[in-house]
Amino acid sequence: MDFSFLKDYSPYFINGTISTIVIAILTVFLGVIIGTILALMKISNKRIAKAIASAYIEFIRGTPLLVQISIIYYSISFPKFTILDIEMNRFIPGVIAMAINSGAYVAEIIRAGIQAVDKGQMEAARSIGFNSIQAMRYIILPQAIRNILPALGNEFVVVIKESSVLSVIGIVELMRSADIVKAAIYKPFAPLIVVAVIYFILTFTLTRVLGFAERRMRTSD
Amino acid sequence: MNGILKKILCASMAAVIGLSLVSCGKTSTMERIEKSGKLVVGTSADYAPYEYHTMIDGKDTIIGIDISIVNEIAKDLGVQLEIVDMSFDGLLAALNSDNVDIVIAGMNPDEDRRKAVDFSKIYYEAKQGVLIRAEDKDKIKTIEDLKGKNVGAQLGTTQESIAKKQMENSTLVSLGKIPDLVMELKNNKIDALVVELPVANGYVKNNSDLALSEITVEEESGGSAIAVKKGNADLVALIDKSLDRLMEEGAIEKFVQEANEKNVTK
């Protein structure tokens, strides 16, 4: 296969890689905030909060990301400005859609992590005079985080891969870079191989880093 | 807890409502162009050779036949040119919401589109070509040869209706993007592909396994025109004047040739 187009078109792939990484970081960051709020709502005793969180999680997990992105992109209109050559009027709705989606999955990761901590821990904390928020904050969450972090790392990998869907709304991430180059060089196949390799390098590096962090955490037991 | 949640919710609602209210006052497009000193052109730069991205001196640039044309129009109007790249199906919406002043994207001014926006005169009538695999060059020579075979065309285009009406014995495969259709052709998933001739030529030049079939298809009311928001007759007249000049000078044919020569095969 002929990859000579890389000489002229590599900047597209580089830009695409950068914006894919930025999208993934922002999505995971916002997703953790949304997910934490939802998880706390879901395990709380308030029935309304519980119902809202469950409905959100079920709905988001039960509909395709592609549909969610299209709905959010066409219903939010954003003013046009650019930062670092990235068009924010596309970028921001795209990231919001990804975060809304990721938040539902993160919520379940966090909820499972919290509920995996033994019930006795909460009872013990309450019996020595903590109220439930204090018990959560000082006793349960520090233990839960150890369960949560590895799964959160996987969510990061998933987000990197799924952000390729954002190409449908014209965000110049990796997949859209491939589309642009495919059209410009009249050769539709080779650019796909290039982005596949880049995606793989990104996710493989990340899994390695996560594995290392996990081992470190285990030794600190 | 509940108080904080409510505040967050209120704030984000306010932000969303505030942002969606961003819109301009009612001025004509011509006034806006004169005031800002630039012509904002909407296009979908994934349609070589009409408009596509390339690197010029290390800078991402959109070039192509259409871009050369609007360049001349901006020159005639005495303003600067700004190009906005977006997806093809969002172009007319952007025009009507005043995000762009004009739209040029190899667009056919069909009935439905004429209801939504005004068009300049047709500046280029592309002929249609039928792209096939080189190995089939002797096998597929007439429309009859396509009987029972799969024929591809881009979704929602003139080519699609040509394939539907003139090749009724074959199965139509419609996809959104030309490069994907070319891939289908290369991988034996379709046997022919109806595209505009300049696009077909680009692919034949860059892919030794593709060829242009001898099949000729009858022209629908094809051709490309520039779209302008309804009620801007003054701007349409100025654009038509520029187009007349370019056509008289034979400049558009020259742009087509230039774009075809710039294909990146090295």
Side-chain angles (χ1 to χ4, degrees), chain A residues 2 4-5 7-12 15 37 40-41 46 49 73-80 87 89-90 133 167-170 172 176 179-190 192, chain B residues 1-2 5 8 16 19-22 40 45-49 52-55 60-61 82 84-87 89 99 177 179-180 182-183 186 198-199 202-203 206-207 259-260 263-266:
Chain A
D2 180 18
S4 56
F5 62 89
K7 202 175 73 209
D8 291 301
Y9 287 90
S10 57
Y12 290 99
N15 287 342
I37 295 171
L40 292 176
M41 282 166 76
K46 299 226 167 58
Y73 176 64
Y74 289 114
S75 58
I76 300 180
S77 73
F78 234 78
K80 205 174 70 191
E87 285 176 49
N89 57 328
R90 287 163 195 281
I133 290 174
S167 62
V168 295
I169 57 169
V172 187
R176 171 79 181 158
D179 282 344
I180 288 174
V181 177
K182 258 154 74 175
I185 64 169
Y186 295 99
K187 282 182 184 164
F189 196 70
L192 286 177
Chain B
M1 183 77 195
N2 261 335
L5 267 181
I8 294 174
V16 169
L19 288 168
S20 38
L21 285 179
V22 177
V40 184
D46 50 16
Y47 196 51
Y52 56 103
H53 287 259
T54 197
M55 282 287 160
D60 175 26
T61 318
E82 184 190 324
V84 181
D85 184 18
M86 63 181 84
S87 62
D89 53 3
N99 278 322
K177 288 181 188 151
D180 296 340
V182 173
M183 203 124 78
K186 283 177 164 233
V199 181
Y203 279 102
N206 289 282
N207 295 274
N260 280 333
N263 294 345
V264 262
T265 26
K266 281 166 197 158

Side-chain angles (χ1 to χ4, degrees), chain A residues 1 17 30 39 47-49 65 73 100 110 121-122 124 129 133 140 146 172 175 179 190-191 197-198 221:
Chain A
M1 205 179 297
T17 310
L30 294 174
R47 262 167 73 192
I48 299 173
L65 177 59
Y73 176 64
I100 284 176
I110 293 177
Q121 298 281 331
M122 176 60 103
I133 290 174
I140 310 290
R146 248 206 359 234
V172 187
M175 193 62 202
D179 282 344
V197 169
I198 298 177
D221 266 356

Side-chain angles (χ1 to χ4, degrees), chain A residues 48-179:
Chain A
I48 299 173
K50 225 173 176 160
I52 292 174
S54 301
Y56 179 101
I57 292 169
E58 291 300 328
F59 184 75
I60 295 295
R61 295 207 306 178
T63 49
L65 177 59
L66 179 59
V67 176
Q68 292 161 12
I69 287 174
S70 307
I71 290 176
I72 289 167
Y73 176 64
Y74 289 114
S75 58
I76 300 180
S77 73
F78 234 78
K80 205 174 70 191
F81 59 99
T82 55
I83 296 174
L84 293 173
D85 275 353
I86 301 174
E87 285 176 49
M88 288 297 147
N89 57 328
R90 287 163 195 281
F91 191 80
I92 291 173
V95 168
I96 290 175
M98 289 289 293
I100 284 176
N101 180 275
S102 181
Y105 290 90
V106 172
E108 288 293 84
I109 292 172
I110 293 177
R111 183 192 56 79
I114 291 173
Q115 286 179 342
V117 177
D118 195 88
K119 244 190 180 161
Q121 298 281 331
M122 176 60 103
E123 284 160 9
R126 294 303 298 277
S127 70
I128 58 169
F130 284 129
N131 66 31
S132 62
I133 290 174
Q134 281 173 327
M136 191 53 113
R137 188 159 159 213
Y138 297 110
I139 309 290
I140 310 290
L141 279 185
Q143 298 182 68
I145 282 173
R146 248 206 359 234
N147 304 328
I148 292 168
L149 279 184
L152 215 51
N154 284 338
E155 178 65 14
F156 206 158
V157 173
V158 170
V159 167
I160 288 180
K161 290 188 288 179
E162 291 205 325
S163 65
S164 64
V165 177
L166 290 175
S167 62
V168 295
I169 57 169
I171 294 178
V172 187
E173 41 69 68
L174 266 173
M175 193 62 202
R176 171 79 181 158
S177 309
D179 282 344

